[in-house]
Amino acid sequence: MEDELPLPIAGEAEEHTLISEQEPEIGGKSAFLAQIREVADKLAHDQATRGDIKIIARAIKELRYAFKVFTPYRLHRKVTVFGSARTPANHPDYLSSVEFGRLMAKNNWMVLTGAGGGIMEGAHVGAGLPMSMGVNILLPFEQQANSIIDGDPKLVTFRFFFTRKLMFVKEVHAIVVYPGGFGTLDELFETLTLIQTGKRDMLPIVLVDQPDCNYWCALQDFIRHQLLERGLISPADLSLYRIVHSPAAAVSEVLGFYRVYNSMRFVKQNLVLRLNHPISDELLDQLNVEFADLLISGTIERTAAHPFEADEPHLKDLPRLRFHFQRRETGRLRQLIDALNLSPELPSPELSSQQPSLS
């Protein structure tokens, strides 16, 4: 099953950011395959050590197989769920993750986890096997895949954390994080860093806590008092994530992010926002006033699909906005997307058993 409205191939937004207009074959593969072979030849010329070559060979092998597994599902919305493998099945966070997985699957979203126990297992229990994907990791103390995804062709097992982390973020359209330990916090902050620095196109990051907020609110206090007050982040960076207190609220955050906004892509110097619905002249004027600080030059204006977007023909008819984006301001970009999605011109998104009207 596919979503009713078109969506981008996950992780593709950044691909052509630095491609010049003179490049003869936009999206062509032969030149990149030649680069891989050239790198292999250079490793031999450099007399690289066996250990270094082994790392590169294993990384390429892992990524090739992972891309093969994920490719059939690229045109299907997916959410990554992070959280502790140690959370017991009777814990409120586990039960919440089950309900979140169930609701996302009901709304035709697939659920990707690290395939372990705890929160990862709970999200898969809720989603069910057909809507579950997993990226397991081999550890010195073996991590067995949970019983839901174990043995399924949608499960990929990695030796390296860095290749596994790539799939967690590249192949999905939302990140939802439950309380966890070092690994969970590492995954959260790496995702925030990728978004903040523009290395990953914008997506919702939702932190799910219990109603008393006894986990994420403590982290929020640290971020405000130690990072924001010291000037280590910008005030708008706090917009890059949301804290919610129920699985239903987490689902609403994810679906709401794609209410009007569909996807983004850099085309030469401009950022292009693809939209699921057109916006009014009044809202466009409002955006130009409220978000003028995002512009290096010019204005936010409507545009049609650029020839550079020809590799995504299913998106060609979507309405678009184009502007010369100040790329340091990713927090403000998230606020612009929120302004689009909160427009009163369109009905509010609702949880549904039908395929959602989002990309």
Side-chain angles (χ1 to χ4, degrees), residues 115-126:
I119 296 300
M120 297 173 279
E121 177 185 271
H124 280 166
V125 168

Side-chain angles (χ1 to χ4, degrees), residues 225-242:
H225 297 310
Q226 298 301 326
L227 304 186
L228 183 60
E229 291 181 7
R230 291 172 182 249
L232 304 178
I233 62 172
S234 301
D237 290 336
L238 297 178
S239 300
L240 297 177
Y241 63 91
R242 297 282 191 275

Side-chain angles (χ1 to χ4, degrees), residues 69-81:
V69 171
F70 275 82
T71 293
Y73 305 98
R74 289 231 168 108
L75 293 181
H76 200 127
R77 290 287 188 196
K78 295 180 288 297
V79 56
T80 289
V81 178

Side-chain angles (χ1 to χ4, degrees), residues 32-217:
F32 297 112
L33 291 170
Q35 288 179 16
I36 293 173
R37 298 184 187 101
E38 182 182 358
V39 168
D41 291 338
K42 286 182 176 180
L43 286 169
H45 180 270
D46 295 342
Q47 297 184 335
T49 66
R50 179 182 180 276
D52 290 346
I53 295 174
K54 184 178 180 181
I55 290 173
I56 294 172
R58 281 185 172 173
I60 291 176
K61 184 178 179 180
E62 288 189 355
L63 290 175
R64 184 213 65 82
Y65 179 72
F67 293 155
K68 178 183 177 182
V69 171
F70 275 82
T71 293
Y73 305 98
R74 289 231 168 108
L75 293 181
H76 200 127
R77 290 287 188 196
K78 295 180 288 297
V79 56
T80 289
V81 178
F82 294 131
S84 176
R86 303 184 183 188
T87 305
N90 61 352
H91 193 281
D93 288 341
Y94 182 99
L95 300 177
S96 174
S97 72
V98 173
E99 178 65 2
F100 175 77
R102 186 188 71 81
L103 291 173
M104 291 307 295
K106 185 178 179 181
N107 280 273
N108 198 37
W109 279 60
M110 300 188 78
V111 176
L112 173 67
T113 82
I119 296 300
M120 297 173 279
E121 177 185 271
H124 280 166
V125 168
L129 181 58
M131 300 298 281
S132 294
M133 299 190 75
V135 286
N136 198 14
I137 184 76
L138 292 177
L139 297 173
F141 45 97
E142 182 180 3
Q143 176 173 310
Q144 179 69 33
N146 66 63
S147 60
I148 305 300
I149 198 71
D150 191 23
D152 189 77
K154 302 191 302 301
L155 171 68
V156 182
T157 299
F158 293 86
R159 290 181 178 271
F160 297 130
F161 273 110
F162 73 89
T163 50
R164 179 183 186 234
K165 286 179 179 179
L166 176 64
M167 304 308 293
F168 272 139
V169 180
K170 176 186 181 296
E171 295 291 335
V172 301
H173 306 85
I175 302 288
V176 169
V177 193
Y178 278 84
F182 291 154
T184 299
L185 295 176
D186 171 60
E187 290 155 348
L188 167 62
F189 280 106
E190 180 164 11
T191 305
L192 283 171
T193 300
L194 292 170
I195 297 293
Q196 183 199 48
T197 57
K199 289 296 185 180
R200 198 330 177 160
D201 50 326
M202 195 66 65
L203 81 173
I205 301 174
V206 185
L207 314 183
V208 188
D209 209 336
Q210 294 302 310
D212 59 3
C213 200
N214 62 5
Y215 186 90
W216 292 123
C217 285

